[in-house]
Amino acid sequence: MSEDAANVVYLIIVVVASCTTLGKYAAWRRERSTALRLITTCSAVGVVAFLVATPLVWRAVARLTGSANVAEPVVFACILAFFAHTHVMSLMWWPAAPVPPTSTAAPGRGRLVRPLAVYCAAGVAMVAGFAAGDLGDAPHPMEFNIAYGQDPGALVMLAAFQLGLAYASVSTAVRFRRNAHSSHSDPRLRRALRHISLATWFIAGYVACVMPATVAGALGSHALDPLHSLGPVSGTVGALVINWGFSGAAISLWRADRRDYLALTPLWELTHRADPRIALDARNRVTDLGLLHVRDWHLVTRTADILSAIRSLYPYFDDEPVVRVHLLARAGGWPLEDERAAAAAALVLRAVALTGSGAERDGETGLVLPGGSLDPASQRAHLVRVAGYLDHPDVLAAAGLDGARRPVPTP
């Protein structure tokens, strides 16, 4: 990879990884879990690694410090710190043996001693090798391994880093792969663990490309220099995949939440007519996009607004639309979920039409929304289905609005 290409690709990764870091930090501020804290700090040191490894930044650091290649140990340290974090995560999520009832030790803590000792030893060796090496003639952002392989100090640093990275990447890849198969039932999480495992194999590919070229350079041969140039490419692919592994499950959840939030808009607009004062959150163009705070605020408040408005419609509920929908459903062989949602949509449409006509009701009819007794997770899916049936011709006919549009909500 050329320096110009590395400047573009590495900075793109910095932007992507920075978004991951900020997203995980925001999630950690809400939940304060150990896993989120580890992912946040892991992603942050990865950002620093790629930022400093960017040739433009590397040369700027050289000019500012007066040391041509001081960026190299910083990059190496950040990469090892990154994989120390991922290795710890793989060990924490590894299916542990049962802990005796009398034991007070945290599960899995003993398994952290050896890998952390390996990373500490590699870090000490890298610092010692850099201090002892003669590395000050010119910056070598992309060819450091083959440019200084014959320097004894640099060779110690390179050996410590590459052996440490090989141990980290292979161990992490194997453990995350096994974790994905044996310890989690959530399919999104299993996919995320498989992505992290795949990414670390690409990082191992970096070592497989760079280490033989480094050894050849130390022996005075540059025949494997083209192989060395493939190392950053493999590492770059691994960095992109691991960011998706860290964020893919969360992005999938966000997309599902936003999809449901937007799908509930017609039902929210319709039921809001019953009592415009029942609204926990003011609507505006920003909230309508559903881009921010969907799960922890807007989707919750939209659902609460709908349910509160529906309760205010109870006095206007009439069983005639429900009976009509049930007859249609039985004749058409509708699934139970669709029958329930269509009946609820017809009931709400009819009730809102009655409130708009000025009809007076003395008390509640005893009817409740079909599907209203579902658990919270099922209720959300039910309300989304209800919203989807508001414009269905058969539902409009069952509500007594045949040939007419559903009631238009007030702004």
Side-chain angles (χ1 to χ4, degrees):
M1 185 184 295
S2 67
E3 286 196 17
D4 290 339
N7 284 327
V8 174
V9 174
Y10 286 9
L11 288 177
I12 289 174
I13 294 176
V14 167
V15 172
V16 172
S18 296
C19 293
T20 300
T21 303
L22 292 174
K24 293 302 176 182
Y25 176 73
W28 174 77
R29 289 290 301 271
R30 291 193 302 269
E31 298 183 22
R32 300 285 179 171
S33 72
T34 301
L36 285 172
R37 182 173 62 204
L38 282 171
I39 294 176
T40 302
T41 54
C42 177
S43 183
V45 296
V47 170
V48 176
F50 269 94
L51 180 62
V52 178
T54 303
L56 282 173
V57 178
W58 179 298
R59 295 184 182 278
V61 170
R63 288 193 299 271
L64 289 172
T65 61
S67 178
N69 294 290
V70 71
E72 189 69 13
V74 175
V75 173
F76 283 176
C78 287
I79 292 174
L80 277 185
F82 180 95
F83 278 98
H85 280 78
T86 59
H87 201 162
V88 167
M89 283 188 280
S90 72
L91 292 168
M92 287 178 58
W93 299 337
W94 181 257
V99 179
T102 56
S103 174
T104 58
R109 182 172 293 178
R111 288 178 300 203
L112 302 179
V113 174
R114 184 176 66 181
L116 292 180
V118 170
Y119 297 130
C120 288
V124 171
M126 286 192 307
V127 172
F130 180 78
D134 183 14
L135 312 175
D137 60 344
H140 288 279
M142 303 302 294
E143 301 90 18
F144 183 91
N145 301 283
I146 53 179
Y148 291 107
Q150 292 182 305
D151 183 273
L155 190 59
V156 169
M157 181 174 72
L158 292 170
F161 170 69
Q162 292 176 19
L163 290 173
L165 184 57
Y167 165 74
S169 56
V170 173
S171 299
T172 303
V174 170
R175 289 189 180 275
F176 269 116
R177 184 69 180 180
R178 290 179 180 174
N179 289 356
H181 284 293
S182 60
S183 60
H184 298 285
S185 58
D186 187 340
R188 287 185 296 258
L189 186 53
R190 287 202 304 270
R191 285 195 297 270
L193 296 179
R194 285 197 293 267
H195 288 146
I196 296 173
S197 175
L198 176 63
T200 48
W201 281 120
F202 275 104
I203 304 299
Y206 166 87
V207 178
C209 293
V210 170
M211 185 178 287
T214 302
V215 173
L219 298 176
S221 171
H222 291 279
L224 297 181
D225 286 4
L227 180 63
H228 176 273
S229 65
L230 294 177
V233 176
S234 184
T236 297
V237 173
L240 291 172
V241 175
I242 207 166
N243 271 279
W244 179 248
F246 283 164
S247 302
I251 291 173
S252 296
L253 284 173
W254 172 81
R255 290 178 61 190
D257 291 340
R258 182 173 183 266
R259 181 191 62 230
D260 287 355
Y261 173 76
L262 297 177
L264 287 171
T265 300
L267 183 59
W268 184 89
E269 291 175 338
L270 179 66
T271 56
H272 190 246
R273 295 190 65 207
D275 188 348
R277 296 171 298 176
I278 301 177
L280 296 173
D281 195 14
R283 182 180 177 185
N284 55 58
R285 292 182 180 179
V286 175
T287 59
D288 281 350
L289 295 175
L291 297 176
L292 300 174
H293 308 299
V294 178
R295 162 158 289 205
D296 54 354
W297 179 249
H298 293 306
L299 182 57
V300 174
T301 57
R302 175 154 290 184
T303 303
D305 287 349
I306 290 170
L307 293 174
S308 297
I310 287 174
R311 280 192 292 270
S312 75
L313 291 171
Y314 280 178
Y316 295 90
F317 277 4
D318 184 348
D319 63 352
E320 186 176 348
V322 177
V323 172
R324 291 176 179 174
V325 169
H326 286 330
L327 292 174
L328 287 169
R330 289 167 191 166
W334 294 8
L336 177 60
E337 293 83 359
D338 290 331
E339 178 182 348
R340 203 158 44 193
L347 191 64
V348 171
L349 284 165
R350 180 62 178 165
V352 173
L354 288 174
T355 62
S357 68
E360 295 291 336
R361 294 293 177 99
D362 295 331
E364 294 187 5
T365 62
L367 294 174
V368 296
L369 189 75
S373 60
L374 297 172
D375 62 88
S378 300
Q379 190 176 69
R380 167 178 157 182
H382 173 62
L383 291 177
V384 169
R385 287 193 186 94
V386 172
Y389 272 101
L390 292 178
D391 284 318
H392 194 285
D394 291 338
V395 172
L396 288 169
L401 303 173
D402 193 15
R405 295 171 57 88
R406 63 182 170 86
V408 179
T410 57

